Amino acid sequence: MDDVLTGVAPAPPVGWARGPLGLVQACDQEVSRQSALRYRAVAAFALSRPSSVDRPQGTRGAMSAERWAARPELLRSVSEWATQELCVALSLTSTAAEALLVRSLTLVHRLPATLDALEVGTVHGGHVAALLDHVAPVADDTVRAALERDLLAWAARRGTVCTPAQLRDKARREVLKRKARSAADDLARAITRRGLSCRPDSCDGMAVVSALLTTPEAAALMAALGTYADALPDDGRTRGQKMADALLDLVLRPGENGLSPVQVVLNVVAPVGALLGGDQPCEIDGQVVPAEVVRALLAALTGARVTASEATAAEDSATEDAPAPAEDTAVEDTAVEDTAVEDTAAEEPASAEASAAEATAEDTAGPGTAEGVSLVKGEDPLRGLSDAAIAQHIAELEADAAWWAEIERRVATGELYADLDPAHDDEPWPPPGWAPPRDDLDPDDHSDDDPDPPPDNAGPPEPDGWWARADAAVNDAGAALLDAEQAVGRARRLVATAERADTADEIAWADNPAGRVTTAADAVTALTAATDDARLHLAGLLGRTAGGGLADRPRIAVTHALTGALLTLTDLPGLRRATRAGTGLHAPAATDGYRPGAALDRHVRARDRRCRFPGCRRPVPQRGELDHGTPWPAGPTAAANLTGFCTGHHRGKHQAPGWTHTLQPDGTLTVTTPSGLTATTEPPPY
């Protein structure tokens, strides 16, 4: 521990604390180091228990086909009995032992840099879990390695706090950016798992009901129950208890509770490109979601067809060798062009962009859906098959090949011969005096021939003798090997065809409007690449006012092109006024008085979105909790002097002894603890 505290081990991002807290940090690093050693040892143990010792698939007593198919891919090369051995050694359940095997093998083979960072104490177990969930499943080795490298560097930034929840959120965003199309497929499959479950609580007599829902459904459900709870009188129950009672009343006693319908508010943040059919990640109440979810939600709430249908049609035509739209498609004379393009030049040329439309909406829609990605049409064995069907077919062929390879091994070792006829199990193998044929003998040398050939009337050898059975086994094995080679050949051809189809599909997608919008460097380029219909639909959405499905007018976040920092929050009329006046767009002016005006309040909440205390991800409450960096009236009620906090951390800023909070004009907050640790946070970029 002394070595750690004196600097032999890498210091945490916020430095070493004084006193006992520094010892806690050192212990935490040692726990991480031992965890890494444990993962490496478990992986080495797994490699010492190969699956070749197990009975092959299809033989009597082997693992059932259903269990084998459900087994994680990384365990296919590990004996099924390794799990039981681990259970005995560590007093674990089978489920926990198998999870430990998978986690260890994944870190060793798919996330080696994460395991190295864990061993030196740069990250801890919570960070590892976030990367295992979101980065390890990425199939492409190059993309996965780049994601791992960038996320580890982000988590270890000096002077910052990175909690597992923050790393998980960052990983979601980065994965969506780099593999958004497969993420949409993952979402479509996950929607089929929606449902409820119930398990006993740790306290007898209590139970926990869990609901797996889409992000919009979950956010709307929590907002509705919270609104019901806030409307109930103060009778000693907590807000959570009131929400639980409201849920039971609404579900079990509908029409008997006297609860009036409520409006719920969802904060939806979507880049312009996502609303034009691109794949940029979006947010619903601070949770990262694919663009398809937001497009489906807004279409259901507003009636505006803000979907990727135009892009899908263009993709279909591209796969059929139809001419793709020209790259230099002119921007039509729409409200979006008249405002967003000119405003960017007026505010800060090449540095600010209309990058996100924030819609505050009443949730009346069902769950979002995501379309799967189809393969390029062509004359090949994969035509008409989904990606999942192709993967399953290839897996079956590879399993067949593995089974035949095991047959070959058993033939070579003689294991197969002993199983041919149970009635002759007592006959030795190989028989006495038998030796395999030699290739180095002269075919004309008959010195070793039998001097006493059998008489002509001896007849053929006994058909059930060991030699007949061995000869039949060799013939069967040869036929099996031929079938296996043919199966492997078919599998390789299917893989090659799938790779060609996937490449052609990616090229076609990148050349259609959705692909060009996704890869656009800024909002202006995205607007130029979009179809005329998509621009018209976007203008219609931005022009909608409160009423119907929307509780408020959609807002446009104008952000810095390089840093993503919020410059101003406006709407379509505001863009038009700024364009006509030639004054550009700026943050709202300071408010005379203690409480910020509506525009300033909206701007600060949109800038911070979550509590700015290091590591906290609670949303800033809708009412209150905007704190003056320099107390009012010494400091103004202005964006540069306001910070969003959750209720608990707002209280801590004013009441916790020995803490200091320093706010810079750009919104950067520096927090120093009584033990000497220093951490900074910045407003999250768009």
Side-chain angles (χ1 to χ4, degrees), residues 662-677:
T662 305
L663 180 65
Q664 302 297 327
D666 64 353
T668 299
L669 177 68
T670 301
V671 178
T672 303
T673 75
S675 57
L677 304 179

Side-chain angles (χ1 to χ4, degrees), residues 418-444:
D419 296 338
L420 291 176
D421 189 352
H424 298 274
D425 284 347
D426 56 342
E427 295 186 13
W429 177 259
W434 180 87
R438 294 172 53 188
D439 296 329
D440 59 340
L441 296 179
D442 184 355
D444 296 327

Side-chain angles (χ1 to χ4, degrees), residues 174-363:
E174 294 302 319
V175 170
L176 274 177
K177 288 178 183 178
R178 307 189 197 200
K179 57 182 287 285
R181 305 187 73 200
S182 57
D185 291 340
D186 295 341
L187 175 65
R189 288 190 292 269
I191 287 176
T192 63
R193 297 189 286 109
R194 292 168 63 250
L196 299 177
S197 61
C198 181
R199 60 177 174 81
D201 185 58
S202 57
C203 177
D204 293 340
M206 301 295 289
V208 178
V209 176
S210 301
L212 180 61
L213 307 171
T214 64
T215 299
E217 291 174 322
L221 176 63
M222 295 299 293
L225 293 176
T227 304
Y228 278 118
D230 294 338
L232 296 175
D234 187 4
D235 54 7
R237 290 178 294 174
T238 65
R239 189 170 187 264
Q241 291 171 339
K242 292 179 180 179
M243 291 173 66
D245 293 340
L247 175 62
L248 292 174
D249 283 341
L250 291 169
V251 174
L252 301 180
R253 294 175 287 275
E256 301 178 8
N257 46 61
L259 298 177
S260 302
V262 298
Q263 265 196 337
V264 298
V265 175
L266 299 181
N267 291 316
V268 180
V269 179
V272 167
L275 299 180
L276 293 172
D279 285 335
Q280 292 87 345
C282 304
E283 288 183 16
I284 295 180
D285 274 3
Q287 298 297 321
V288 181
V289 296
E292 286 285 352
V293 173
V294 167
R295 286 195 290 261
L297 176 64
L298 294 181
L301 293 178
T302 66
R305 189 166 54 89
V306 188
T307 67
S309 57
E310 296 87 357
T312 303
E315 180 179 355
D316 291 341
S317 63
T319 57
E320 295 173 0
D321 298 328
E327 285 286 340
D328 56 348
T329 304
V331 179
E332 294 296 323
D333 186 16
T334 65
V336 177
E337 180 214 6
D338 292 340
T339 56
V341 177
E342 295 182 15
D343 168 71
T344 304
E347 172 66 19
E348 185 176 352
S351 67
E353 56 173 291
S355 67
E358 181 176 7
T360 306
E362 175 189 0
D363 184 63

Side-chain angles (χ1 to χ4, degrees), residues 36-188:
L37 295 177
R38 180 174 183 253
Y39 287 134
R40 295 189 193 278
V42 171
F45 162 73
L47 293 178
S48 70
R49 299 294 186 271
S51 59
S52 58
V53 302
D54 298 343
R55 293 195 177 188
Q57 280 290 295
T59 60
R60 178 180 297 179
M63 181 185 292
S64 67
E66 293 78 14
R67 283 185 57 204
W68 190 87
R71 209 171 185 220
E73 183 179 352
L74 282 170
L75 293 186
R76 298 287 173 85
S77 61
V78 180
S79 171
E80 63 175 302
W81 313 118
T83 300
Q84 294 189 12
E85 195 171 354
L86 204 58
C87 292
V88 174
L90 303 181
S91 299
L92 297 174
T93 64
S94 295
T95 301
E98 183 170 291
L100 178 58
L101 281 169
V102 172
R103 195 180 311 121
S104 302
L105 291 170
T106 302
L107 287 169
V108 169
H109 297 294
R110 298 180 70 85
L111 297 176
T114 300
L115 190 55
D116 292 341
L118 181 67
E119 189 164 4
V120 298
T122 306
V123 298
H124 58 67
H127 300 121
V128 170
L131 296 175
L132 283 169
D133 290 343
H134 297 286
V135 179
V138 176
D140 189 290
D141 293 340
T142 303
V143 174
R144 185 176 64 253
L147 278 168
E148 182 185 23
R149 180 190 65 245
D150 295 346
L151 288 171
L152 288 174
W154 184 83
R157 293 168 300 155
R158 288 285 123 191
T160 62
V161 171
C162 177
T163 65
Q166 289 175 308
L167 184 60
R168 192 177 296 274
D169 187 75
K170 178 70 171 179
R172 287 193 185 102
R173 293 178 183 276
E174 294 302 319
V175 170
L176 274 177
K177 288 178 183 178
R178 307 189 197 200
K179 57 182 287 285
R181 305 187 73 200
S182 57
D185 291 340
D186 295 341
L187 175 65

